[in-house]
Amino acid sequence: MSFKDVIDGESGGLSRRTVTTSAVLATAALLSGAGAGGAAQARPTGRGDVMTVELPAPTGPHRIGVTTLHLVDRTRRDPWKAGIPVREVMVTVWYPARGGRARPVAHQMTARAARSFGQTAPRMRPGLPPKGVDWAATLTHAHIGAPAQRAPRPALLYSPGGGDPRTLGTGLAEELASHGFVVVSIDHPGDASEVVFPRPAAYRGRLRQTVFRGDPRMDPRQFHTAIATRIADTRFVLDRLEALAAGHNPDAERRPLPEGLPELLDLERVGVYGHSAGGTTAAQTLYEDRRLAAAVNLEGFLDEAPSGPDRPGDLLPVARHGTDRPLLLLNTDGFTERAALERSWSSLMTHSHGRASRARLDDAAHWVFTDYAAVLPQLCAAGLMSAEARVRLIGAVDPACSVPAVRGRVRAFFARHLPTH
């Protein structure tokens, strides 16, 4: 399976393949053997009936390094909590590394974040198991603080879905880094289900949980605040990357940077991608910030939240006026709000004069663009969640198909518009 190109809101029939048959077969072989993808095997942790899930292995030729940065914007107040005079953001940087094999492999989540995620995720995404998973045990494929490669590489910013932490985009970030991109995954505190800071932050705690108690799109004011804050966060992170590339350490604690990381960043080649509210963020930030050369929107609305059943929200500027730089729209046939999405996406396509393209993944649902695509089938196989819940969240598509399809389409888009060499 691959994406189907969409023209005027309808499937364009069989599309050119974004993942070749040989690549799909190779990925599937990895999945069944080394726990490398959608068919990865869950394993016990040695703690009774608690299990560990595994993430897909990246397919690129480069070893991956990883580091985290705590960034503080002193020009903005926090929008979600009164009395916080600054805006604090946590990011993870995934990058092509040289050496570093002896360095420890990073976990997907810290122990504190994993405990919070285990409690919050089942409430935010009904059907996820409230117990039985050791979320802190899942390993990535990246080595902490490994020396960076010497050749300058394009950078990609990632904004996750509303209420989701940046860690749920680990598989795609690692895939892109293994093919030569520097990927910067952004948490949006107050929005993300949980954000853990390296020290007590301005609001007097290391762990900050989401303020959302439901779908923020059901509250027009909250949705507007979320998107505006995400755009400002993304542009601020790009500002701090410019400081990093200039030789400064932007980390609030001044923790040592991986060797060679500043020289690795080529900020003449920068893109942005995101899922759901992060896709909204990616598209509108592309429109607002000329430093960005290309963007991918993974099933994000391009309008404000509706103010009533028959009162659709205003189109965002990117949808009203279109884009003059490459923008890829990817969606699923199982998204329950496809009709509402279509209004803003069609407007953008009409006004972009060929600079925007779109494609659809069938037998899939909204969270297939996240690590849930590989994780939920493992939970189903272990009897920790129902098949109905899995289909509602990621669709019925086999992850041995969906994982390489999503990776392949996003990777090919950025490789075309932001070549790594």
Side-chain angles (χ1 to χ4, degrees):
M1 171 182 288
S2 68
F3 281 91
K4 294 179 179 179
D5 293 318
V6 176
I7 302 172
D8 296 331
E10 297 296 333
S11 170
L14 293 177
S15 70
R16 63 183 183 277
R17 290 188 178 273
T18 59
V19 184
T20 65
T21 301
S22 60
V24 172
L25 292 175
T27 303
L30 285 172
L31 304 184
S32 61
Q41 300 299 307
R43 52 188 172 84
T45 64
R47 291 168 39 200
D49 58 354
V50 178
M51 63 172 279
T52 298
V53 293
E54 298 186 353
L55 295 175
T59 65
H62 302 293
R63 186 173 293 118
I64 307 169
V66 64
T67 192
T68 60
L69 299 174
H70 175 200
L71 307 177
V72 180
D73 185 353
R74 302 189 183 283
T75 69
R76 288 188 293 152
R77 301 181 67 85
D78 189 274
W80 299 116
K81 192 173 180 66
I84 302 180
V86 297
R87 177 65 175 165
E88 300 186 82
V89 177
M90 287 297 298
V91 304
T92 298
V93 184
W94 313 87
Y95 56 91
R98 53 184 172 86
R101 184 176 296 175
R103 292 177 178 263
V105 173
H107 286 78
Q108 182 186 23
M109 302 182 191
T110 67
R112 180 171 287 196
R115 286 194 299 272
S116 178
F117 179 82
Q119 298 167 359
T120 305
R123 297 198 300 269
M124 299 187 72
R125 312 291 176 231
L128 290 175
K131 58 182 180 179
V133 185
D134 185 356
W135 296 106
T138 300
L139 292 172
T140 69
H141 304 85
H143 297 268
I144 300 173
Q149 291 185 4
R150 293 184 175 89
R153 301 286 185 173
L156 303 175
L157 307 178
Y158 168 68
S159 179
D164 286 341
R166 71 190 192 277
T167 49
L168 282 183
T170 295
L172 183 52
E174 288 195 307
E175 172 71 2
L176 292 166
S178 79
H179 284 272
F181 294 93
V182 180
V183 181
V184 183
S185 301
I186 305 169
D187 257 338
H188 304 283
D191 178 328
S193 56
E194 66 282 325
V195 181
V196 176
F197 294 95
R199 61 166 171 78
Y203 64 93
R204 302 176 184 173
R206 287 190 61 200
L207 172 68
R208 185 169 181 184
Q209 295 179 308
T210 184
V211 301
F212 298 159
R213 294 297 178 263
D215 182 354
R217 196 162 166 84
M218 297 297 101
D219 181 335
R221 179 176 296 181
Q222 189 177 65
F223 183 79
H224 178 84
T225 299
I227 299 304
T229 301
R230 285 164 162 267
I231 293 169
D233 287 347
T234 303
R235 299 185 70 176
F236 165 66
V237 169
L238 185 49
D239 292 341
R240 302 318 294 150
L241 291 181
E242 290 178 337
L244 176 60
H248 304 289
N249 185 347
D251 184 70
E253 285 71 42
R254 297 297 188 267
R255 293 171 295 178
L257 299 171
E259 179 187 339
L261 184 61
E263 296 78 16
L264 186 66
L265 289 165
D266 180 357
L267 297 184
E268 296 299 317
R269 294 178 289 171
V270 185
V272 60
Y273 69 102
H275 170 243
S276 195
T280 309
T281 302
Q284 184 58 33
T285 307
L286 176 74
Y287 180 85
E288 295 185 16
D289 199 317
R290 302 299 302 182
R291 293 175 294 180
L292 296 169
V296 175
N297 174 357
L298 304 171
E299 207 156 63
F301 293 101
L302 296 178
D303 59 2
E304 297 282 0
S307 57
D310 299 314
R311 299 179 64 185
D314 293 337
L315 294 176
L316 295 178
V318 68
R320 289 201 309 270
H321 305 298
T323 177
D324 61 357
R325 280 154 290 154
L327 173 59
L328 175 62
L329 307 174
L330 299 181
N331 71 311
T332 64
D333 67 331
F335 186 39
T336 55
E337 297 183 69
R338 282 174 59 194
L341 189 78
E342 184 61 36
R343 171 176 168 264
S344 62
W345 280 27
S346 293
S347 178
L348 178 132
M349 294 294 294
T350 298
H351 293 95
S352 294
H353 308 292
R355 300 304 292 165
S357 57
R358 58 181 297 186
R360 187 186 72 211
L361 185 63
D362 289 339
D363 300 320
H366 191 55
W367 280 274
V368 77
F369 297 112
T370 73
D371 290 336
Y372 285 144
V375 167
L376 299 196
Q378 297 173 56
L379 300 181
C380 284
L384 291 177
M385 69 181 297
S386 68
E388 291 78 11
R390 170 243 168 98
V391 170
R392 184 172 66 251
L393 290 169
I394 65 168
V397 62
D398 188 329
C401 296
S402 65
V403 169
V406 171
R407 288 176 163 192
R409 195 71 184 231
V410 174
R411 188 180 70 239
F413 173 82
F414 283 125
R416 176 183 178 187
H417 298 291
L418 300 169
T420 57
H421 50 72

